[in-house]
Amino acid sequence: MKPAVDIESIVSIAISAGKIILDIYQQDSFEKHIKLDNSPLTAADIASHHLITQQLQKLTPTIPVLSEESLTIAWDVRRQWCRYWLIDPLDGTKEFMKRNGEFTVNIALIDNHEPVLGVVHAPVLDVTWMGEQGQPARKQQAGEQYEIGVKQHKAGEPWIVTGSRTHAGDSLQAFLADLGEYELISIGSSIKLCLVAEGKADLYPRLGPTSEWDTAAAHAVVNAAGGEVIIVENGQPLLYNTKDSLINPHFLVQSVSSGRA
């Protein structure tokens, strides 16, 4: 189902949130807390959350919003949603705190468990990736927009693999050992999925925990770019809002023809 939402309006919201984040990022110090799940939370997460949720509620008042920084929404309520916004106001808070610039604003529209529209904005890099069902994926940089797409891996060439800068572990090392010749690009946040979408990487294996808001926006970009996000265990597409838990299974991001599943 093609989303009846102008993606450019979502790009504007993401960029506005990015500006608020940058204002805090450029301060000498900023407020930080540790949440119950032991993940970090900063003033930038909260400021971005409030801006995005307010703007989305104004733009689409009948579509519910689920944010990483929302109050807990019960599964009995969520399971009734056919269409909703799924956002991560600041994906890569650890990268934000390290001040390496590898963090993003993620806004996705989920329809019947699938991400049908997604915008990923990297404020420090001033880069935005966008994808919507039925339209080519695009990248915006330095005021210019252009189409992007996954690349097809050629036999005999090294695999270009993107992986987490913060969460690499033994499972990834085992995957790489099985792969053959490869080059690993370590980077933070949902930028990893976007590198596959724009053909700068062949694969992104995620063999550790992530939450649904971490992946949804970039997942929409990957789909629009001709790639796929599949569950490692069974090769099925990664879906959203199908269970009480918001934790994703292990997944693989790839071009459809790479055949690594």
Side-chain angles (χ1 to χ4, degrees), residues 37-227:
D37 64 358
N38 209 36
S39 62
L41 177 71
T42 70
D45 296 78
I46 298 301
S48 177
H49 161 79
H50 286 308
L51 183 145
I52 296 170
T53 54
Q54 289 168 7
Q55 291 296 314
L56 289 177
Q57 287 165 352
K58 182 178 179 181
L59 182 69
T60 56
T62 62
I63 301 179
V65 179
L66 177 61
S67 165
E68 179 178 9
E69 310 311 337
S70 297
L71 295 174
T72 302
I73 298 173
W75 168 234
D76 284 345
V77 174
R78 281 194 292 112
R79 70 192 307 171
Q80 300 176 51
W81 295 352
C82 290
R83 168 178 272 214
Y84 67 101
W85 293 107
L86 179 56
I87 68 174
D88 191 340
L90 201 172
D91 179 31
T93 302
K94 290 181 180 178
E95 314 306 332
F96 176 90
M97 292 168 63
K98 293 175 185 175
R99 298 184 186 269
N100 65 17
E102 296 172 2
F103 54 86
T104 59
V105 176
N106 300 344
I107 305 176
L109 181 63
I110 308 298
D111 194 299
N112 289 316
H113 310 294
E114 296 182 6
V116 295
L117 180 151
V119 171
V120 177
H121 175 60
V124 172
L125 305 178
D126 194 22
V127 174
T128 307
W129 296 269
M130 62 202 83
E132 61 180 314
Q133 198 172 74
Q135 299 294 323
R138 289 175 288 158
K139 181 179 180 180
Q140 179 171 298
Q141 188 170 21
E144 299 291 330
Q145 271 192 26
Y146 52 91
E147 291 183 12
I148 57 174
V150 297
K151 75 182 182 79
Q152 308 306 316
H153 179 260
K154 295 179 181 178
E157 291 188 350
W159 292 91
I160 309 300
V161 183
T162 183
S164 174
R165 185 179 297 283
T166 304
H167 301 286
D170 293 343
S171 296
L172 175 61
Q173 296 308 314
F175 178 92
L176 294 173
D178 254 358
L179 194 58
E181 191 177 358
Y182 70 89
E183 175 187 338
L184 178 63
I185 302 172
S186 296
I187 199 164
S189 74
S190 57
I191 295 172
K192 295 182 287 292
L193 290 90
C194 294
L195 291 183
V196 176
E198 63 175 294
K200 290 184 176 178
D202 299 302
L203 300 169
Y204 167 37
R206 181 59 188 224
L207 307 175
T210 56
S211 296
E212 295 186 1
W213 45 68
D214 293 322
T215 56
H219 187 169
V221 177
V222 169
N223 285 351

Side-chain angles (χ1 to χ4, degrees), residues 28-34 40-43 93 96-97 99:
D28 291 336
S29 63
F30 41 77
E31 189 175 353
K32 320 184 259 296
H33 303 281
I34 300 298
L41 177 71
T42 70
T93 302
F96 176 90
M97 292 168 63
R99 298 184 186 269

